[in-house]
Amino acid sequence: MVREAAIVALKCSEARETGVVDLRDCGLMEIPQALFIFVKNVEVGTVDVSKNQLKKLPIKLVKSFPKITALDCSDNLLQNIPSLEDCQVENLKVIKLSGNKLSKIPLGLPSSLELLDLSHNSISSLSEVDIDFLKSITGTVNLSGNSLDTTASLLLEKSSLHNLLL
């Protein structure tokens, strides 16, 4: 535990120099509150918390970094993520949520994304609202590795999404 805390402190210190919060593969079960103190007033562009054991993603992780362009939360234990509707995320272009336990398309994500990676989750069904949202995304949506049911597959087929990976 002390070793992990030292690694997180070192990575937060590096973030002050690079603008990249790289907490990938740190064994985190939650986002350390010290992160927000260490990188206060730092223009952070990328946050990578992939390959941890996160079950929850605090909205503060996005709200604290208004210039964020990329958020990588892949390979965690997330079952949902908070809506980003009330966040200033006009710069956010990449969200990677692959390899989690998401069972539905997250709501409140910006449509200006260049990449939304939802691959290898537990998404099996899609609603018309989900399809409309996926259509609104300007970039690529990756849904590969999910067990989409027949109805969801037919909806996707009918929607003629050109930017979809299955």
Side-chain angles (χ1 to χ4, degrees):
M1 177 110 139
V2 173
R3 182 176 175 274
E4 287 87 358
I7 290 170
V8 168
L10 176 64
K11 289 184 175 241
C12 287
S13 178
E14 289 172 359
R16 295 182 67 76
E17 301 292 321
T18 64
V20 175
V21 174
D22 180 3
L23 295 177
R24 132 189 84 194
D25 205 13
C26 286
L28 299 176
M29 296 178 82
E30 60 184 36
I31 301 297
Q33 291 303 307
L35 166 67
F36 304 108
I37 296 166
F38 278 122
V39 294
K40 189 173 184 174
N41 300 321
V42 173
E43 199 168 288
V44 171
T46 300
V47 175
D48 185 347
V49 293
S50 64
K51 298 182 181 176
N52 282 291
Q53 300 166 30
L54 300 174
K55 291 182 179 178
K56 245 172 53 171
L57 190 68
I59 191 68
K60 186 176 183 180
L61 188 64
V62 176
K63 280 189 172 185
S64 296
F65 309 119
K67 301 281 186 189
I68 189 171
T69 58
L71 176 64
D72 189 347
C73 301
S74 54
D75 299 317
N76 277 288
L77 303 171
L78 300 171
Q79 293 181 357
N80 57 50
I81 66 163
S83 171
L84 303 181
E85 282 181 321
D86 296 331
C87 300
Q88 294 177 354
V89 291
E90 53 273 350
N91 297 313
L92 188 57
K93 299 296 179 200
V94 174
I95 298 179
K96 296 180 181 178
L97 294 164
S98 64
N100 279 288
K101 296 184 177 202
L102 300 173
S103 60
K104 57 186 176 186
I105 304 291
L107 300 175
L109 300 180
S111 60
S112 60
L113 292 173
E114 293 171 6
L115 173 65
L116 174 59
D117 188 353
L118 296 168
S119 63
H120 304 284
N121 275 285
S122 301
I123 300 170
S124 60
S125 63
L126 299 172
S127 69
E128 291 286 344
V129 172
D130 293 332
I131 297 293
D132 288 343
F133 167 68
L134 294 175
K135 281 182 178 177
S136 76
I137 292 184
T138 56
T140 301
V141 177
N142 188 347
L143 285 172
S144 65
N146 285 287
S147 298
L148 295 173
D149 63 24
T150 306
T151 305
S153 297
L154 288 172
L155 280 171
L156 286 171
E157 200 174 289
K158 279 184 8 184
S159 71
S160 66
L161 283 164
H162 302 290
N163 55 348
L164 180 66
L165 301 174
L166 286 176

